Each structure stands twice: as structure tokens, then as C-alpha cells.
Amino acid sequence: MKDIKISKLVINCCVGDSGDQLTRAERVLKELSGQDPVFSKARLTVRTFSIRRNEKIACHVTVRGAKAEKILEKGLNVKEFELKSKNFSETGNFGFGIQEHIDLGIKYDPQIGIFGMDFFIVLERPGFRVSRRKRFRSRIGLNHKITKEQAIEWYKTKFGGTVVEF
């Protein structure tokens, strides 16, 4: 009942402007995950970056199950299975970024270019559904929540990685 598993993997690719570059980033995420990415809009106007409110500036995709583990394995391979302790949140989730998508095994295409992306992994235990369900919604007990230390220990045993203190 205390087994930790991956709930979902969110891959975010922020371009900073709409148009052709965002479309190319969408193609990269679609090729990586096999799913259609969703676009994210800017919350407010930033004149120095020439971003307008509600303009599409990024795309992300949510992957679950075995496919998420496979993609996460590729991403961690790029980082050489070494993460910083500050990559882990207090709620037991963790994330990291990569500089180039071609390190994941995707072939380089000069028309697409090179994009960096962020990986964010949400961990859960059996029974976490009680906080999200419609009927008889309840809270998760303190003993059942995932702490930062438990997430780091799970990462070390599952992937054989190292966590560096910074």
C-alpha cells in the first residue's frame, strides 16, 4: 500500500513566442511522446520580451503509464542519472531540464532546429485518488503523503541514480 509510482510526466517546451517556432516545438513533442501537445498562453503582457496577453508561447504534453517511464529513462540518461537535491519538492515530486532534444534519441532536422525542455514528474501512492474523486472526497493522511526524502530514496532505488547536495 506504500508503493510509490509515477502518476504522470509533464514535458514542457517554452518557446517564448507564437508562430513557426512554436509549431516546430509542437512537432518535437509529438514525435517524442506520440501524443498531441497542448498550447500554453501568456498570462500577461511583457513588453521587453514582446509577449502579449493570451498569446501562445509554449506547449506541453502529459504522459502516463509505461510510456512515461520510458521517456523519463531517456531524459535521465541525458542527465547521466544525476540530479540535484533542490530538483525535488517537499511534496515528493521532482523535475529537471535538458538543453537539447536531440540527446533523447530524436534525429536532428535542420528545418526544426534544437529545443530544450523541462521534465516534471508527479509521484503517487495507491489511494491518492480519494483527494480527486467526485464522491466522498477526502484528504490524504500525513503518513501516506510522499516526502522529499522518500522521493529521493525511490529515485535512487528505481533508476540507480545519484542525488547531489547543493
Side-chain angles (χ1 to χ4, degrees), residues 31-147:
E31 186 178 338
L32 178 64
S33 66
Q35 297 175 203
D36 290 332
V38 177
F39 293 105
S40 302
K41 296 179 179 178
R43 288 191 209 148
L44 46 101
T45 302
V46 182
R47 297 187 106 187
T48 54
F49 299 132
S50 62
I51 297 173
R52 292 185 305 278
R53 189 170 186 265
N54 289 331
E55 180 182 14
K56 293 179 181 177
I57 59 168
C59 56
H60 65 275
V61 65
T62 302
V63 187
R64 299 175 193 272
K67 191 188 289 186
E69 283 191 36
K70 188 175 136 195
I71 295 172
L72 177 59
E73 188 89 34
K74 287 181 184 177
L76 288 171
N77 198 18
V78 172
K79 295 297 256 184
E80 296 174 353
F81 296 94
E82 185 174 299
L83 295 176
K84 298 176 184 173
S85 63
K86 68 179 185 180
N87 288 59
F88 291 84
S89 72
E90 291 300 321
T91 55
N93 305 318
F94 67 98
F96 60 93
I98 61 167
Q99 298 287 323
E100 300 177 351
H101 74 274
I102 55 174
D103 294 335
L104 295 170
I106 299 173
K107 194 165 184 260
Y108 174 70
D109 186 1
Q111 293 176 339
I112 292 178
I114 295 177
F115 290 98
M117 53 190 65
D118 300 319
F119 287 70
F120 193 76
I121 299 90
V122 178
L123 301 176
E124 71 174 3
R125 285 192 164 123
F128 269 39
R129 182 179 165 268
V130 297
S131 65
R132 295 188 303 263
R133 65 188 179 193
K134 179 87 172 163
R135 191 169 185 220
F136 300 124
R137 184 173 289 156
S138 181
R139 287 186 291 190
I140 298 167
L142 281 175
N143 292 337
H144 205 61
K145 288 183 179 176
I146 301 172
T147 63

